[in-house]
Amino acid sequence: MKIIHIVLSGPFTEGMTYQENLLPIQNALDGHNVLIVASCLGWDKGKIIRMTECDKIIQFGIRLIRIDYDNIINSYVSEKVRKSHKLMPIIQKFAPDIIFLHDSQVFEIINIAKYKNNHSSIKFIVDFHSDYYNSARSLLSYIFLHRFLYNALLRNAEKSIDRMYCISRSAKTFLQEVYNYRSNNIEIFPLGGFSKKHTQYERCAIRNALGYSSSDIILLHSGKINKNKKTKELLEVFNRKDYSNIKMIIIGDISMDYMNVIMPLIEQNDRVKYLGWKSGEELLEYLSISDVYIQPGSASATLQNAICAGNAVIVSQTDIYEDIVKNNGWIISDVSEIDHILEEIERSPNMLVKMKRESIYIGETVLDYKILANRMYNV
């Protein structure tokens, strides 16, 4: 099949482990002809940067086309409206069997819906990521963007959508309450994950290269390191006690305004390694040798990859985790709870064996992109 992924609602960065990266890879691995049409925005060291338009082949033979937004008043408004007259000619020329629109909040959803109406055999899939936790945080955003602009766009296209995928129950609630979406085509389609399979020998070799033994318990914390990730609070808890065989790896770019806060906490504890930014492929490598993925602050898409890699998890209390953190870790309401959890792990390290096994099961049955991709093929 010919599958087009449209990523105009925000940045797209090659080599990351976000849904818009990994789902197209799985489509390509399944033998399909895959095209990504993305905006000219991308991530670089935790900041959004502007890139140039391009048309090129990236990993796994996937074609990537970047297109600019049409200019509407100024760049700020253009990046909120997300209109591009260049999209539809690309779709028409590619003639896809499946259109997967990553997030509904783009002006072009109207034109895609018209195309679907004229080509009834294709499947038009939209996924929805917004919830009360990550969106509509200001009155202006809530009223003008979500209740008015994005709501009007989605209502115009609603009858043409074959499947509306919400990444969590909280996203479904937001869609139904804020957008008044009433179609019965909603399904929960969680962010998924990949995992790198290593033999015990390979895992030991990677650990040894980092200075860890097979008996060390490795915590991994990652993401765009800013105050929302609660990295400072995590390190303060971890540094209070000398957990003899519990070590921590931190991966990600630290925001400049947070650097002077975080680095002294890292440097005072030789059980903490800061590895800086790593590519998606490298991050999967480290997840393959860690034991516990720990994210006490804002949500991270890496969690799903961590579960697929067989990590137990310690995460903050948010609705998005309810269906994937079950008997495979801890959901906490406050960072201070981590102290007790680490003491528990130190006393009974074998408790992680069952949790890690449960993560592998959840990964294989719920989060694996092979399973998620098959769902979209059968819409």
Side-chain angles (χ1 to χ4, degrees), residues 121-243:
S121 63
I122 72 165
K123 299 299 181 183
F124 180 26
I125 301 170
V126 180
D127 84 333
F128 193 83
H129 294 234
S130 298
D131 58 24
Y132 288 108
Y133 181 76
N134 64 23
S135 300
R137 303 297 293 273
S138 69
L139 193 61
L140 178 64
S141 173
Y142 176 77
I143 293 176
F144 180 72
L145 290 180
H146 292 277
R147 293 290 291 181
F148 174 65
L149 177 61
Y150 299 149
N151 193 334
L153 294 173
L154 182 55
R155 284 196 178 203
N156 190 285
E158 183 174 345
K159 292 181 180 179
S160 304
I161 297 170
D162 293 296
R163 189 74 80 245
M164 174 62 80
Y165 284 147
C166 293
I167 66 165
S168 65
R169 282 183 282 171
S170 59
K172 179 180 178 181
T173 299
F174 190 87
L175 176 66
Q176 292 177 324
E177 292 181 354
V178 177
Y179 287 69
N180 197 32
Y181 191 88
R182 290 292 175 260
S183 294
N184 61 359
N185 62 356
I186 301 176
E187 290 183 7
I188 302 300
F189 191 83
L191 300 177
F194 277 171
S195 63
K196 296 198 74 167
K197 306 299 183 185
H198 288 297
T199 65
Q200 186 63 27
Y201 175 81
E202 289 170 331
R203 292 182 79 250
C204 287
I206 297 170
R207 279 178 168 242
N208 289 340
L210 290 168
Y212 298 132
S213 71
S214 59
S215 62
D216 284 332
I217 295 169
I218 300 177
L219 313 178
L220 195 149
H221 173 68
S222 71
K224 302 177 188 74
I225 308 298
N226 54 41
K227 64 180 181 179
N228 294 328
K229 280 284 183 279
K230 297 190 177 179
T231 308
K232 170 181 174 288
E233 294 83 350
L234 169 61
L235 285 167
E236 287 173 342
V237 169
F238 189 68
N239 289 351
R240 278 189 208 128
K241 295 180 181 176
D242 183 17
Y243 303 102

Side-chain angles (χ1 to χ4, degrees), residues 54 98 134 185 206 253 326 357:
C54 69
I98 296 176
N134 64 23
N185 62 356
I206 297 170
D253 284 314
K326 294 180 176 179
R357 192 181 300 126

